[in-house]
Amino acid sequence: MSIISRGRVLSGLALVGTGALVLAGCAAAPEETDGGEAAVDFLPCMVSDAGGFDDKSFNQLGYEGLTEAAAEIGVEPITVESASETDYAPNIESLLGQGCDLIVTVGFALSAATLEAAAANPDVNFALIDDAADADFDGKPDYDNAKPIVFNTAEAAFLVGYAAASYTKTGTVATWGGMNFPTVTIFMDGFAQGVAYYNEQKGTAVQVLGWTGDGETSSFTGGFEANDQAKAMAQGFIDQGADILLPVGGPIYQSAVAAITDSGKDIALLGVDADLFETDPSTQDIILTSILKGIKNATHDVVAAAAANDYSNEAYVGTLENEGVGYAPFHNFESLVSPDLQGELDEIQAGIIDGSITVTSYLAG
């Protein structure tokens, strides 16, 4: 038996309102509300990756979506943070033991542990943020109880790459990731494509450091922690003349901020997942824009649907067209970017949506 197992003996009784099967007595009886109506008998739960729920990025957005949906449903969610990858399986195990009906796992790194748990516990529903739940690569989720929540961020990163190429003064920009995961490199790849498109349209030669087009030979810190190694990588790109930095991987942006501060140079930062201008005000003087994922809204909708017995393993794919991805305002840089830039970005976005401009990624089709 898998170590990730709730160990329930199914009674064959359908749990009304959730469609899940549980052993009588494993879940608390529905509570009475002030109006005399039974409260929703549904327990949503979440496991973070090693970045934690205060990463000012996708863990935080997932947490906010979960807690917002839970408040609307009228239930108290259970959340657990992971300090390292060795926590993933035990944390999922702990939630299984607490009778969770839906377990949302945040980040590609939790994929293997989540899918193992889904296989061992078919009566529990799972949602995987930033993972296709497709370990056998046959183009569909491996299990009926494993729902992918993924985002074609290459589309939004393309626009931000174009904007970065328009803004750079040195003609050199840089991007690097925490680890070589598809959900990391999709940002880097889209960014580089946007820079290339700008060069093609404008006859320029803006250079992208850190991304070669191949994950094996591109730049990664080896983890998602803000540490000396992440700072050294940022400093290395600054030393090579990059004046715009795109670190992809949760807290590693904090190391880039430290490197920018130490350099004393006019360096702009690009954020990922959330609008760093809003989630981390300390970046407001250096943040050009951020590549956004609609993680909060997507998580909210998946949790609410599961509570209403409307769960399926059909993938949610965020795109520019469905507003599942996008980019943040230029905020303090609004007066510093080209006055023509916004109009150009609007045209490019329309072209990406109608297919006249191609952005390639592993989620593109």
Side-chain angles (χ1 to χ4, degrees):
M1 178 180 294
S2 164
I3 62 170
I4 305 180
S5 174
R6 181 148 62 173
R8 290 182 172 177
V9 180
L10 298 183
S11 66
L13 298 177
L15 180 61
V16 177
T18 66
L21 297 176
V22 299
L23 177 64
C26 281
E31 298 177 357
E32 293 295 316
T33 65
D34 292 340
E37 297 179 355
V40 174
D41 189 6
F42 175 78
L43 180 57
C45 303
M46 177 175 282
V47 180
S48 82
D49 75 0
F53 291 128
D54 62 348
D55 65 351
K56 309 294 190 298
S57 188
F58 71 109
N59 281 287
Q60 179 175 320
L61 292 172
Y63 177 84
E64 291 175 354
L66 172 81
T67 54
E68 184 178 280
E72 293 173 2
I73 296 164
V75 298
E76 188 69 28
I78 299 175
T79 61
V80 58
E81 288 189 309
S82 304
S84 69
E85 63 182 45
T86 58
D87 293 335
Y88 298 157
N91 282 345
I92 295 172
E93 175 79 8
S94 74
L95 294 179
L96 289 165
Q98 295 178 74
C100 298
D101 296 296
L102 174 70
I103 298 176
V104 183
T105 59
V106 188
F108 179 90
L110 280 84
S111 177
T114 305
L115 292 179
E116 183 183 354
N121 299 275
D123 58 318
V124 184
N125 290 327
F126 294 82
L128 295 77
I129 295 176
D130 261 356
D131 185 71
D134 182 21
D136 59 9
F137 302 105
D138 67 351
K140 59 184 180 182
D142 292 346
Y143 304 105
D144 291 341
N145 62 330
K147 183 181 185 67
I149 302 175
V150 292
F151 303 87
N152 192 7
T153 45
E155 293 184 345
F158 186 103
L159 296 171
V160 170
Y162 186 96
S166 171
Y167 180 80
T168 179
K169 306 301 188 295
T170 65
T172 302
V173 300
T175 182
W176 67 100
M179 297 181 75
N180 183 18
F181 292 158
T183 48
V184 171
T185 59
I186 192 172
F187 283 93
M188 302 164 72
D189 199 11
F191 178 75
Q193 290 177 61
V195 172
Y197 186 77
Y198 182 89
N199 287 337
E200 175 187 318
Q201 297 298 306
K202 304 293 186 178
T204 52
V206 176
Q207 181 183 10
V208 179
L209 304 177
W211 177 247
T212 66
D214 173 14
E216 297 300 319
T217 58
S218 295
S219 298
F220 301 93
T221 64
F224 298 105
E225 299 81 13
N227 54 28
D228 289 342
Q229 182 176 351
K231 182 180 177 182
M233 184 164 287
Q235 185 61 58
F237 290 129
I238 293 172
D239 292 343
Q240 294 177 72
D243 64 350
I244 299 179
L245 306 181
L246 172 61
V248 184
I252 66 171
Y253 83 85
Q254 296 165 9
S255 299
V257 172
I260 292 170
T261 300
D262 288 352
S263 75
K265 297 180 179 180
D266 185 14
I267 310 293
L269 179 71
L270 299 171
V272 298
D273 300 327
D275 183 354
L276 282 184
F277 186 93
E278 301 293 346
T279 62
D280 187 352
S282 70
T283 67
Q284 290 183 354
D285 289 340
I286 60 173
I287 191 76
L288 175 60
T289 184
S290 298
I291 303 163
L292 305 179
K293 290 181 182 177
I295 293 175
K296 179 178 178 179
N297 290 341
T299 304
H300 170 281
D301 291 350
V302 169
V303 173
N309 198 26
D310 189 24
Y311 172 93
S312 80
N313 72 343
E314 180 180 356
Y316 169 90
V317 181
T319 64
L320 287 175
E321 185 171 14
N322 65 18
E323 300 182 347
V325 299
Y327 64 95
F330 293 113
H331 295 298
N332 290 343
F333 283 72
E334 188 71 44
S335 63
L336 303 177
V337 300
S338 165
D340 298 324
L341 179 60
Q342 189 59 62
E344 293 174 5
L345 292 176
D346 290 344
E347 289 185 13
I348 295 169
Q349 177 165 324
I352 293 172
I353 291 173
D354 69 25
S356 59
I357 297 175
T358 301
V359 181
T360 61
S361 80
Y362 78 100
L363 290 175

